[in-house]
Amino acid sequence: MKLAYYPGCVAQESGKELDKATRWVCRKLGIELAEFPTFSCCGSGFIDEANPVLNTALNARNLAIAEKAGLDILTICSTCTGMLKLANVRLKDPAVRTKVDGALAQIGVQYQGKTQVTHLLDVLVTRIGAEALAKRVTRPLKGLNVGAFYGCHLLRPQDELASESAEEPHQFEDLIAALGATPVLYRGRVMCCGFPILFVKEATANRIAAAQIEDAKAHGAHAMATPCPLCHISLDSFQPKVEKSVGHKLDMPIFHLPQIVGLALGATPEELGLPRHLVSTDAALARIGTVAVPA
Amino acid sequence: MTATETVRADLDIYRFDPERDRAPRYQRYTLDLAPHTPVLTALLKIRNEVDPSLSLRYSCRSAICGSCAMVINSKSRLACRTPIGPEIAAHGRIVVDPMRNQPILRDLVVDMAPFWGRYRKLEPHLIEDPSKPMPVGATTSMTPEEVARFKETPRCIACGACYSACPAVEHDPEFPGPMALAKLYRFVVDPRDGATKQRLVQIQPNGLWLCLRCHLCTEACPKDVRPSERIIDLKELAIAEQGGTEHGSRHVLGFKRNIEDRGVLNELKLVRDTYSPFEMLAQIPYGLKLARKKPETLKSPKAIEGQSEVKKLYEILDREEGE
């Protein structure tokens, strides 16, 4: 399987461990990653709030780059997935299409709408299949209760993104179960992590993150896992601040999606970049019989 | 004639009477009903035939009045519009709770005063332009294009499902709520409204920019008003009106410039563009803590290959949009 790898900004910067873990897992599973240093940022929903046509054009360019190579795009971020898919939908509107095509023509790019966007979660559960993946597991995550945290833009708006369900998805839980861990069901799994307003009103963003972490904890989660590096920033990188805002420790390890997959497929914590997390994953690793060496 | 197929429906209903109960509880009622039966019909059957003490709010039973919004199997929605069959198939039972984010008065009835309070603060009604007073008894006409700009907002039945589903409402007492902002949008784009500019200015601090873009309201809305999308429309209008005066708008404009410069995000620069120098100082200790684990936080990424193409798209589409 060969896919156009769209790492997104965060996985190339502060969330580099996500890129590292993705490459490890894809290598292990024989997913070939074609790289395009010409890909731009998806706009992250922010550019869309100032200029939706520009945002659609930026993503039409990204889609066209993969299309020219005859490949579908592999994303590892819920927001990138949402923005790229939304561009494909919006470009079905003839008025938007004309405007964007006109601009793309001036940079010698042609968009035809043939490239599909698929998140690593979907590749693992749909293209490879949970059962096939389960057969590759060498270190079952037995005894680890994992709360999946989806990230809004993987799921909503459901009609446009054609996601499995806006409010009751189960792909991620299926994956967690296939890895030998126990999926934890809780309301917060489809809620917002607070990230979009982290720089608007940090206290509110922290309260929102706290609510989801506490919800997962109340339902027995030893760790959470997310397919979105922006959620990871909110839930892991800012967890010390979140703890301050609620006035008590949370100690909730937050895994990137490919990190829990990598652990089950036998990767070392270092190969998955776990020592880069703000919240130690040691307690979770101890449950499955491996402990990270401190950074 | 074939017998009507029925399903056995276990309904676990939230019960709480603050005058008599010390704590809320779930009470189970079991009924055999046709799968297409709405949850509201099941609740009324329980109230009329089994337990007259069950309190709920309802009126039209046909998704017009917006009275029967509640939380059914964890989703905020209208009871009259939710058939029991698919719920039983998906969950094995039907858990009915009162709407979220509002004080519970009794059983499934909530106090909607806070919902209306946050809404009224926005003055979601037509405010006449004092320089262009309308003669008494006069009528105005709008073009189909002008009406089309309202988008789906006139469909709103003020049921409160979006308010119940909204995490910003849940965690921030200042946030007006999805319906309030969608209704405000309707007046901002109304050609008869004389307060468009003030509205766009007033709604920004502790308002518009607290929307998380999570789209939970759009999924909850029974009338497909798509409040989250109207809020995004409002943000675009607010930026066009005022530029970057708020953290939210500075963040958006900073992000946009950032991608124009390099094609890829410069995380540190974005934070600098959003915060004031004083706020930036306050963030230094935490920034250093982060950078110890994630040194890239303090580095500038290289521009993407083909950045000139991105710049060109900005030249064509951003200038045009700004005009």
Side-chain angles (χ1 to χ4, degrees):
Chain A
M1 189 188 321
K2 187 175 176 181
L3 294 162
Y5 179 44
Y6 187 92
C9 300
V10 175
Q12 299 176 72
E13 298 169 35
S14 66
K16 246 188 174 121
E17 67 281 358
L18 167 60
D19 174 67
K20 194 176 180 183
T22 302
R23 289 175 190 278
W24 192 94
V25 166
C26 288
R27 210 163 36 238
K28 190 83 181 172
L29 295 173
I31 302 168
E32 195 184 335
L33 302 178
E35 311 219 19
F36 297 90
T38 45
F39 276 150
S40 80
C41 168
C42 73
S44 191
F46 290 113
I47 295 179
D48 198 44
E49 293 180 333
N51 187 339
V53 176
L54 172 67
N55 200 58
T56 304
L58 288 172
N59 285 318
R61 178 181 166 277
N62 288 328
L63 290 160
I65 290 169
E67 190 176 273
K68 204 171 171 191
L71 296 171
D72 283 343
I73 286 182
L74 172 73
T75 53
I76 50 171
C77 167
S78 296
T79 301
C80 296
T81 313
M83 296 319 293
L84 285 161
K85 279 190 173 180
L86 218 48
N88 258 341
V89 174
R90 287 182 185 169
L91 287 160
K92 292 200 172 89
D93 176 339
V96 176
R97 180 71 185 266
T98 308
K99 225 171 183 177
V100 169
D101 276 353
L104 291 180
Q106 294 189 49
I107 56 168
V109 172
Q110 202 194 358
Y111 165 89
Q112 293 180 305
K114 287 182 188 158
T115 284
Q116 297 303 307
V117 179
T118 169
H119 190 284
L120 180 61
L121 175 62
D122 197 45
V123 170
L124 294 174
V125 178
T126 311
R127 296 203 192 187
I128 291 178
E131 275 175 40
L133 190 67
K135 289 193 185 120
R136 306 289 301 269
V137 169
T138 54
R139 184 197 285 140
L141 309 182
K142 237 178 138 51
L144 188 66
N145 299 348
V146 182
F149 189 86
Y150 280 82
C152 298
H153 301 277
L154 197 63
L155 307 173
R156 295 179 294 267
Q158 191 188 349
D159 292 349
E160 283 80 353
L161 303 182
S163 52
E164 51 160 342
S165 166
E167 285 155 320
E168 291 172 76
H170 56 81
Q171 268 196 343
F172 207 165
E173 284 77 12
D174 295 349
L175 176 80
I176 289 166
L179 302 174
T182 306
V184 174
L185 288 176
Y186 61 108
R187 172 186 170 233
R189 72 199 181 100
V190 295
M191 296 294 288
C192 179
C193 68
F195 179 81
I197 60 165
L198 197 48
F199 300 95
V200 176
K201 200 170 180 183
E202 194 180 284
T204 302
N206 287 343
R207 276 200 298 276
I208 292 172
Q212 321 316 349
I213 295 172
E214 305 232 43
D215 192 16
K217 201 169 211 171
H219 287 81
H222 304 130
M224 291 164 74
T226 176
C228 181
L230 306 182
C231 297
H232 198 269
I233 290 177
S234 227
L235 301 173
D236 174 75
S237 301
F238 278 77
Q239 198 177 118
K241 282 198 170 194
V242 172
E243 287 176 335
K244 231 180 216 170
S245 81
V246 292
H248 57 87
K249 293 290 277 180
L250 293 167
D251 285 327
M252 178 62 80
I254 313 287
F255 291 102
H256 291 286
L257 161 77
Q259 289 176 329
I260 49 160
V261 179
L263 281 174
L265 298 181
T268 66
E270 294 69 36
E271 284 172 317
L272 302 170
L274 290 175
R276 288 171 51 91
H277 290 202
L278 266 279
V279 181
S280 167
T281 54
D282 286 0
L285 295 177
R287 285 181 188 272
I288 54 163
T290 174
V291 172
V293 178
Chain B
M1 234 168 77
T2 54
T4 316
E5 190 196 334
T6 62
V7 289
R8 174 143 301 186
D10 288 327
L11 289 108
D12 289 331
I13 302 175
Y14 179 95
R15 301 299 308 269
F16 183 53
D17 179 350
E19 285 167 17
R20 287 171 34 190
D21 304 332
R22 230 181 274 158
R25 66 185 194 282
Y26 286 93
Q27 192 163 344
R28 173 161 291 196
Y29 302 90
T30 303
L31 304 172
D32 291 312
L33 297 165
H36 64 260
T37 309
V39 170
L40 179 61
T41 305
L43 294 173
L44 292 177
K45 200 172 163 64
I46 292 166
R47 200 198 59 180
N48 296 340
E49 297 172 19
V50 186
D51 185 348
S53 72
L54 178 66
S55 296
L56 69 150
R57 214 183 247 138
Y58 73 99
S59 178
C60 78
R61 308 185 201 195
S62 35
I64 295 166
C65 75
S67 303
C68 67
M70 47 190 80
V71 175
I72 300 166
N73 282 340
S74 86
K75 292 188 207 173
S76 300
R77 45 190 163 169
L78 297 180
C80 69
R81 218 171 159 266
T82 307
I84 59 158
E87 292 307 309
I88 295 294
H91 301 275
R93 61 177 183 151
I94 299 172
V95 183
V96 188
D97 285 284
M99 274 199 281
R100 294 195 183 96
N101 300 335
Q102 293 157 88
I104 295 160
L105 294 175
R106 194 156 86 181
D107 297 342
L108 303 172
V109 180
V110 297
D111 176 8
M112 293 183 79
F115 164 77
W116 290 112
R118 293 198 203 191
Y119 168 73
R120 284 199 191 97
K121 258 169 79 180
L122 302 190
E123 297 193 65
H125 53 82
L126 206 62
I127 298 175
E128 229 180 278
D129 184 346
S131 68
K132 288 184 270 177
M134 274 210 310
V136 178
T139 54
T140 51
S141 57
M142 271 186 269
T143 65
E145 290 74 32
E146 283 170 337
V147 175
R149 283 199 78 194
F150 296 165
K151 303 216 167 139
E152 301 85 353
T153 52
R155 286 190 210 150
C156 176
I157 53 174
C159 65
C162 60
Y163 190 90
S164 169
C166 175
V169 166
E170 185 178 346
H171 295 284
D172 198 301
E174 308 278 351
F175 186 62
M179 175 194 88
L181 289 168
K183 292 264 191 187
L184 186 82
Y185 167 84
R186 183 237 172 281
F187 290 102
V188 164
V189 297
D190 191 317
R192 302 166 297 174
D193 194 78
T196 296
K197 284 187 179 179
Q198 298 94 288
R199 292 184 194 279
L200 286 173
V201 171
Q202 280 162 10
I203 197 55
Q204 293 195 60
N206 269 320
L208 206 46
W209 299 106
L210 292 178
C211 167
L212 296 147
R213 236 191 288 121
C214 71
H215 299 298
L216 279 160
C217 55
T218 288
E219 297 299 337
C221 177
K223 291 291 175 180
D224 205 25
V225 169
R226 311 186 78 79
S228 53
E229 292 175 5
R230 300 298 75 79
I231 296 171
I232 294 171
D233 292 338
L234 271 179
K235 286 176 174 174
E236 191 186 345
L237 294 167
I239 286 178
E241 181 62 38
Q242 259 206 318
T245 52
E246 296 290 320
H247 284 101
S249 47
R250 280 204 300 274
H251 197 69
V252 166
L253 291 172
F255 199 103
K256 191 163 76 129
R257 265 198 310 277
N258 210 303
I259 304 310
E260 184 177 12
D261 289 346
R262 289 164 200 265
V264 67
L265 182 64
N266 180 341
E267 292 172 320
L268 182 62
K269 184 168 185 301
L270 178 61
V271 178
R272 280 210 317 263
D273 283 349
T274 306
Y275 284 143
S276 70
F278 178 74
E279 287 168 329
M280 207 54 205
L281 271 178
Q283 291 290 340
I284 286 178
Y286 200 74
L288 291 175
K289 188 181 165 104
L290 260 177
R292 267 200 297 276
K293 292 277 191 169
K294 297 166 174 272
E296 301 79 11
T297 312
L298 302 178
K299 289 180 194 153
S300 306
K302 275 194 304 200
I304 60 161
E305 287 176 26
Q307 174 58 17
S308 58
E309 291 181 17
V310 168
K311 270 214 157 82
K312 184 83 185 166
L313 288 180
Y314 270 75
E315 273 171 35
I316 302 162
L317 295 169
D318 209 33
R319 198 191 299 146
E320 201 178 283
E321 286 285 316
E323 274 165 9

